[in-house]
Amino acid sequence: MRPVILRPEALTAAAFSPFGDVIEARDGAQRLQINQGHAERYHDLASVDLAGQGARALISIFRSQPRQFPLFLNVLERHPLGSQAFMPLAALPYLVVVAPGIQVPDLQGLRCFIAAPGQGVNYARGTWHHPLLSLEATTDFLVVDRGGPGVNLEEHALLHEHIRVLAPTDEAHSPS
């Protein structure tokens, strides 16, 4: 297979929609005044999808170490029994790599997004994605995913595909 080079693109709700939801306090979201008017709720930003009897939502924190460039991808994963949401707890950008595909990822459809500070993602159930790709510093993420019986992690090794991610540019940090 010829080497694949991924150029990070801005993370927008429209561009990411085939893979899940973008989680952010955006103007188009339903907004509600709460806590006697001292807070604003950006309502229902992502769909938590949990399949299987005994499934339950887990809330965790993942601590991600920053990646160095040149960056070569070696694995994609998916969660067939539930969605998986990541919201950074620091105002730092990170990369999101996704691919379409049912049984195996379609590497011709690989996409790389740069999440701007304040943006999270919710991978739809079964979406192929790369594990966390922090950029500038060790970053904590609030994670909502599925717990319960059943195998909810499948991995696809990328040992021979030679998939390289280019370092993001400053212009990619702001969604268009």
Side-chain angles (χ1 to χ4, degrees), residues 8-9 50 58 74 123 128 131 137 149:
E9 58 185 285
L50 307 174
L58 301 176
N74 59 11
Y123 297 116
W128 289 103

Side-chain angles (χ1 to χ4, degrees), residues 1-166:
M1 178 176 178
R2 288 192 350 227
V4 175
I5 297 176
L6 293 176
R7 184 177 312 280
E9 58 185 285
L11 178 65
T12 66
F16 193 72
S17 66
F19 309 104
D21 309 300
V22 174
I23 303 169
E24 64 183 328
R26 62 183 173 273
D27 289 338
Q30 181 183 4
R31 293 159 52 176
L32 308 168
Q33 291 296 316
I34 59 172
N35 301 106
Q36 297 80 40
H38 295 281
E40 188 172 32
R41 176 180 178 148
Y42 288 78
H43 185 69
D44 199 18
L45 299 176
S47 175
V48 178
D49 182 4
L50 307 174
Q53 188 165 3
R56 62 188 181 86
L58 301 176
I59 298 176
S60 307
I61 292 178
F62 289 15
R63 183 161 289 154
S64 176
Q65 302 302 315
R67 303 299 180 109
Q68 303 298 314
F69 291 88
L71 176 59
F72 292 90
L73 305 183
N74 59 11
V75 69
L76 291 176
E77 66 182 36
R78 72 178 184 156
H79 306 282
L81 300 178
S83 58
Q84 189 178 44
F86 290 86
M87 190 68 200
L89 298 178
L92 294 170
Y94 61 99
L95 295 179
V96 176
V97 174
V98 290
I102 305 300
Q103 297 300 319
V104 296
D106 172 4
L107 300 181
Q108 299 305 311
L110 271 171
R111 305 271 302 268
C112 179
F113 298 96
I114 183 159
Q119 287 185 310
V121 296
N122 181 49
Y123 297 116
R125 180 164 46 110
T127 295
W128 289 103
H129 62 278
H130 193 277
L132 285 169
L133 293 168
S134 297
L135 294 174
E136 297 175 5
T138 300
T139 306
D140 288 348
F141 290 80
L142 181 69
V143 179
V144 178
D145 62 353
R146 181 194 183 277
V151 177
N152 193 32
L153 173 64
E154 295 176 5
E155 293 182 332
H156 180 83
L158 301 172
L159 301 177
H160 306 290
E161 282 79 2
H162 306 290
I163 299 169
R164 180 176 152 214
V165 178
L166 297 177

